[in-house]
Amino acid sequence: MIYILFYTRYGNTLILAEAIKEGVKAAGGEACLRKVHEAAPEFVIEKDERWKATLDKMNDIPEAKVEELSDVDALVIGSPTRFGNMAAPLKEFIDLTGGLWMKGALSGKVGAVFVTNSTMHSGKESTLLSMMIPLLHHGMVIVGIPPTEPETVTHGSYYGATATTGIMADNSPTEEDLKLAKSLGKRIYEISSKLSVK
Ligand SMILES: Cc1cc2nc3c(=O)[nH]c(=O)nc-3n(C[C@H](O)[C@H](O)[C@H](O)COP(=O)(O)O)c2cc1C
């Protein structure tokens, strides 16, 4: 099972997560989507129709549970950029995985990352790289997107799937972004199904 764990406020990161899942499934694998717990106070969310609509859209997606991670073949984490870093709710979830680290439960499994942000050069790569750090601490084997994917010339990143959503977060991931996200899903599945390391 490829476990796709993400945070989103306006749904763009969810769209990439769904494309990664599609890529896993098209390659013959199984994947599940898990959202991290929304920690923002209700009175803040209440004032933002788009935020509320995204939360409604995700009603059927279960919240992630740390104990589920022991059984996964690969862990893929996704976040909107927050000041060049991952969003706090995702970090908070990752900070609950110390027990798994103690047991080496994720060691030797495939890890991968994806991100959405506002503009071309405002923190995509710093966010992707910083998201890899905890996965490496867990002993995971990081998989990215190779330069043999032609869309990487203008879209995405060698470090993971991406989308540039604009200042108001209202530009959805493009066809190229989705193609690269699907190919990341396929690659995660293909590599994790061959991998046997500790
Ligand atoms: C507090 C905050 C900080 C942000 N920092 C950045 C940033 O450093 N660089 C950037 O490009 N976008 C930044 N953004 C924009 C989001 O990363 C962007 O809108 C993202 O695509 C939203 O994803 P979502 O639709 O999945 O919620 C920030 C947004 C917020 C609310």
Side-chain angles (χ1 to χ4, degrees):
M1 173 66 72
I2 314 294
Y3 197 91
I4 305 172
L5 168 70
F6 67 95
Y7 177 74
T8 186
R9 183 183 294 183
Y10 294 135
N12 294 290
T13 311
L14 167 63
I15 294 172
L16 282 190
E18 285 167 335
I20 293 169
K21 181 178 176 187
E22 226 180 282
V24 172
K25 287 179 89 175
E30 272 185 74
C32 65
L33 296 184
R34 291 289 186 270
K35 63 188 177 197
V36 291
H37 181 68
E38 177 56 79
E42 208 148 321
F43 73 89
V44 176
I45 298 172
E46 232 359 85
K47 291 184 198 137
D48 190 331
E49 289 304 322
R50 286 171 68 204
W51 196 341
K52 280 197 290 181
T54 307
L55 288 172
D56 283 349
K57 194 176 164 191
M58 295 195 297
N59 267 340
D60 294 342
I61 300 176
E63 276 191 7
K65 293 194 181 78
V66 169
E67 58 272 22
E68 290 177 334
L69 294 181
S70 298
D71 298 326
V72 305
D73 299 307
L75 171 63
V76 195
I77 59 174
S79 176
T81 291
R82 292 282 187 266
F83 304 117
N85 217 311
M86 78 179 96
L90 178 61
K91 181 66 164 57
E92 196 170 4
F93 180 86
I94 291 170
D95 287 355
L96 295 173
T97 63
L100 297 177
W101 177 86
M102 290 287 282
K103 290 189 266 183
L106 293 173
S107 185
K109 295 182 176 182
V110 165
V113 295
F114 59 105
V115 71
T116 72
N117 77 322
S118 295
T119 74
M120 191 57 75
H121 301 293
S122 52
K124 261 186 201 70
E125 291 190 346
S126 63
T127 306
L128 290 164
L129 288 168
S130 65
M131 287 165 73
M132 287 178 195
I133 295 171
L135 303 186
L136 288 166
H137 277 247
H138 274 290
M140 302 193 82
V141 179
I142 304 293
V143 168
I145 302 174
T148 42
E149 294 289 341
E151 291 81 9
T152 53
V153 175
T154 52
H155 290 77
S157 157
Y158 301 152
Y159 308 154
T162 71
T164 307
T165 63
I167 294 297
M168 300 309 291
D170 53 0
N171 295 337
S172 290
T174 64
E175 227 175 90
E176 291 87 349
D177 298 328
L178 296 178
K179 185 158 181 277
L180 288 171
K182 283 180 204 162
S183 92
L184 178 62
K186 176 174 183 277
R187 193 169 172 86
I188 291 164
Y189 169 64
E190 287 176 348
I191 293 177
S192 64
S193 57
K194 288 195 178 103
L195 207 63
S196 177
V197 291
K198 256 295 161 195

